[in-house]
Amino acid sequence: MNIKIIPSKIYGNTEAISSKSHIHRLLIAAALSENSSEIYFNKSSMDIYATKNCLIAMGFRITEENCKFKISPGENINKNLSLPCGESGSTLRFLLPIAGALGINGDFITKGKLAKRPLSPLKEELTDKGMTIFCKDDIIHVENKLSYGEFKLPGNISSQFITGLLFALPLLSNDSKILITTPIESRSYIDLTLAVLKQFDITIEEKENFFYIKGNQKYIAPKKIYAEGDWSNSAFWLTMGAFSEKGISCMGLNPNSLQGDREILDILKKFGADVTIEKNKITVKANKLHGIKINCEQIPDIVPEIAVLGALAYGETIVSGAERLRIKESDRINAICTCLKNLGAHIEEKNDGFIITGREFLNGGKVNSFNDHRIAMMCAVAAVKCKNPVIIENAEAVNKSYPDFYIDYMKLGGKTEKEV
């Protein structure tokens, strides 16, 4: 599907959708619990359904009604099964160690580029502790039970590897520890995992570069759980606010959230945008923007928003520390640079980021989403400050995390047309 976006004035209020990162973790912890629970949210996405469907395939009982997941303990966990994880890296990397902890034999069925995204060194650590894992085309086959012990992982490849082990190791018969061999990037995602585990009565002890995990722990779920608003996706609306004289307000965000992408507020301020923070409402309005220099090791998911701000800010913006973006749904550094260059931005690609010289307006034109949800949304945001329409090819990529993105875009005054 292609979507044509006609530049228009945007402003108004929007409600933050529920956090994909939070719901993934809540669903898994609730499924592993010995009691029933309910998770409340306002919107879901393809990635969330991938986790839900895999848990159901494992034998856990999950039903959905009126923006609520009801989760009950699995009576007989299935041992030989097919796990449809789609394109969700979180689903695969979180559930892979859990499958081993539960002694599940089966196939993770992937789509898109997920099977080509890195699984090492998590795969080697799991096989060293008893699991058998082999990959063929879009299938990742697992066998045998995971054993306790010491696991060694670098902190700069994927925080999802660490999260998967933090969920799985409390289920084993004896104690384990995770040694982190390099500084952790995207630390906030691990903090979110630890907070959810604590909420479900799981104890993790952290000292220096170790996580200590006691075995034979029991997950106990709160009766009702409410998913947080999503800072990662809301960052696109807040970024659009920086180009709006009347401003854009986003409701339902927790300014004290453990989600690292709340950093977008400080970044917008550094660019010069007008930012107002109230109890349950964040408002961003246009002001004179100027370029910044920023290292994005801890906030890779909001680099597309930073790129748009830099493309339309006076002076030079230098983004570094984002090398891991090359192994996302797309080579996201290259995708950002290609799309913005096609729209008329002055951007130079680097190994771990890019350098942008800002302009008052971009030209517009045709871009491809690279089947990457964040690239599609970035282009839609950039269209607000283009002289001519923007056509986004494969615009449906947003379904991965935000199926109603274009609907909410139009509610703020955006003008879109589907192209055949």
Side-chain angles (χ1 to χ4, degrees), residues 52-351:
K52 174 195 166 188
N53 292 337
C54 284
L55 290 169
I56 290 172
M58 286 179 170
F60 299 106
R61 292 179 292 173
I62 304 174
T63 60
E64 179 184 354
E65 60 178 44
N66 300 323
C67 292
K68 175 175 66 178
F69 290 126
K70 289 185 175 182
I71 304 100
S72 301
E75 294 179 353
N76 296 299
I77 301 302
N78 297 325
K79 300 297 182 181
N80 296 286
L81 47 88
S82 176
L83 298 162
C85 57
E87 297 184 49
S88 175
S90 295
T91 303
L92 174 63
R93 291 162 170 174
F94 292 175
L95 293 182
L96 196 61
I98 291 171
L102 297 175
I104 286 171
N105 297 339
D107 296 324
F108 285 91
I109 312 299
T110 72
K111 292 182 179 179
K113 295 184 177 180
L114 180 55
K116 297 179 177 62
R117 293 173 65 183
L119 271 181
S120 295
L122 176 63
K123 176 184 173 183
E124 288 75 16
E125 288 298 298
L126 296 176
T127 55
D128 185 59
K129 297 298 188 298
M131 290 182 69
T132 299
I133 303 172
F134 58 85
C135 308
K136 183 179 180 181
D137 299 325
D138 291 331
I139 297 174
I140 298 167
H141 182 77
V142 297
E143 293 180 5
N144 302 325
K145 194 167 177 63
L146 182 66
S147 299
Y148 58 84
E150 180 177 297
F151 297 76
K152 296 180 181 179
L153 288 174
N156 62 345
I157 296 180
S158 175
S159 64
Q160 294 171 349
F161 294 167
I162 300 168
T163 283
L165 286 176
L166 289 172
F167 275 120
L169 298 182
L171 302 171
L172 302 183
S173 61
N174 214 324
D175 301 351
S176 299
K177 62 181 178 180
I178 306 170
L179 169 63
I180 309 300
T181 58
T182 67
I184 295 175
E185 297 182 10
S186 294
R187 169 72 208 206
S188 62
Y189 287 107
I190 295 173
D191 290 337
L192 184 61
T193 300
L194 293 172
V196 169
L197 288 168
K198 184 178 180 181
Q199 190 177 6
F200 284 77
D201 275 8
I202 297 297
T203 300
I204 307 289
E205 184 181 1
E206 182 179 3
K207 289 185 178 179
E208 296 179 359
N209 55 342
F210 279 98
F211 292 98
Y212 294 88
I213 304 101
K214 291 183 178 179
N216 280 319
Q217 295 194 61
K218 306 295 184 185
Y219 281 80
I220 306 296
K223 209 167 185 182
K224 293 183 178 181
I225 315 156
Y226 295 87
E228 283 192 349
D230 193 305
W231 277 96
S232 300
N233 283 319
S234 297
F236 287 104
W237 306 133
L238 298 172
T239 297
M240 280 176 60
F243 310 129
S244 169
E245 294 297 328
K246 293 184 178 180
I248 291 177
S249 296
C250 200
M251 324 295 204
L253 292 171
N254 175 11
N256 299 314
S257 171
L258 291 174
Q259 296 175 56
D261 290 341
R262 72 187 187 286
E263 184 71 17
I264 190 65
L265 294 183
D266 287 338
I267 292 168
L268 284 162
K269 290 176 186 177
K270 288 176 183 176
F271 270 105
D274 183 347
V275 178
T276 304
I277 303 172
E278 300 175 56
K279 184 178 179 181
N280 199 39
K281 179 179 175 182
I282 312 291
T283 302
V284 180
K285 293 182 180 181
N287 203 350
K288 186 174 181 180
L289 302 181
H290 53 80
I292 65 171
K293 183 177 181 180
I294 185 168
N295 183 293
C296 294
E297 285 180 357
Q298 300 298 333
I299 48 168
D301 283 345
I302 54 173
V303 169
E305 291 93 323
I306 294 169
V308 175
L309 289 164
L312 293 159
Y314 175 79
E316 188 175 75
T317 293
I318 302 174
V319 171
S320 62
E323 192 169 6
R324 282 182 302 131
L325 288 181
R326 294 196 181 276
I327 53 173
K328 294 286 188 177
E329 288 84 345
S330 65
D331 176 342
R332 201 169 278 169
I333 290 178
N334 178 260
I336 288 169
C337 294
T338 300
C339 288
L340 289 180
K341 194 173 289 184
N342 286 349
L343 295 178
H346 296 151
I347 185 167
E348 179 185 356
E349 182 175 340
K350 299 293 183 181
N351 288 336

Side-chain angles (χ1 to χ4, degrees), residues 22-42:
H22 199 205
I23 298 178
H24 276 305
R25 289 161 172 79
L26 292 176
L27 269 175
I28 291 170
L32 295 173
S33 295
E34 297 193 335
N35 59 308
S36 299
S37 60
E38 297 176 345
I39 298 172
Y40 293 80
F41 59 96
N42 60 14

